[in-house]
Amino acid sequence: MRRRILRLQPLLTLPQIVILLAVLAALIIGLDLNRRAQAGRRVGVGEEALQAEIAVESTRQVELKATLVYVQSDDYVVTTAREEQGMILPGERAVAPLLIEATATPAAPPAVTPDPASYARAWQAWWRLLTDAPFPSK
């Protein structure tokens, strides 16, 4: 009897293995590039928000510096002394307004207008709803 030797064929050939490895490498590289692109976009979004916040705070800083200069000036001292302390400069006269309290007269209540719905009948409402025409003459 002759024995038959069965040869097992490989599952994949060498060119198929090379192509499969190339596809896997391309897939891994593509996913990594996508991840990096998304990370770059997130950084850009945060940067724009920070730039806007920096612009607002820079404007606020200028306003605060202007307020500091005014508070340290003589004009501020004079204005504060006059308005809050009631002080006056030599040679000036203080004028204090007198408040006269008067009783207010009550306003007359507005005239009450009659409600047309209280005089309407049910058929008139249905007539208006269905026809949108004036009422028939009696």
Side-chain angles (χ1 to χ4, degrees):
M1 272 199 133
R2 278 171 81 185
R3 282 191 176 184
R4 284 178 113 184
I5 299 176
L6 293 175
R7 272 189 157 181
L8 296 176
Q9 292 183 351
L11 187 61
L12 296 174
T13 62
L14 184 62
Q16 290 174 336
I17 292 172
V18 170
I19 291 173
L20 182 63
L21 289 175
V23 168
L24 284 174
L27 182 64
I28 291 171
I29 291 171
L31 289 173
D32 185 53
L33 288 175
N34 185 31
R35 182 188 56 81
R36 289 182 185 192
Q38 286 178 352
R41 277 191 294 258
R42 280 183 291 210
V43 168
V45 169
E47 180 182 0
E48 292 171 2
L50 285 177
Q51 290 293 340
E53 190 174 338
I54 287 172
V56 168
E57 293 300 325
S58 296
T59 304
R60 185 169 177 254
Q61 181 184 16
V62 170
E63 291 172 353
L64 288 174
K65 283 183 180 180
T67 303
L68 177 65
V69 169
Y70 173 66
V71 168
Q72 292 174 343
S73 70
D74 291 338
D75 291 336
Y76 175 75
V77 173
V78 171
T79 304
T80 304
R82 285 178 189 256
E83 292 178 359
E84 294 179 12
Q85 307 295 323
M87 298 179 166
I88 58 173
L89 291 174
E92 292 182 341
R93 290 187 181 174
V95 177
L98 296 177
L99 297 177
I100 301 174
E101 294 184 21
T103 57
T105 58
V112 178
T113 56
D115 185 15
S118 63
Y119 300 112
R121 295 192 176 104
W123 70 269
Q124 292 172 331
W126 281 105
W127 181 267
R128 281 282 190 188
L129 229 127
L130 296 174
T131 63
D132 204 23
F135 296 122
S137 58
K138 292 183 181 180

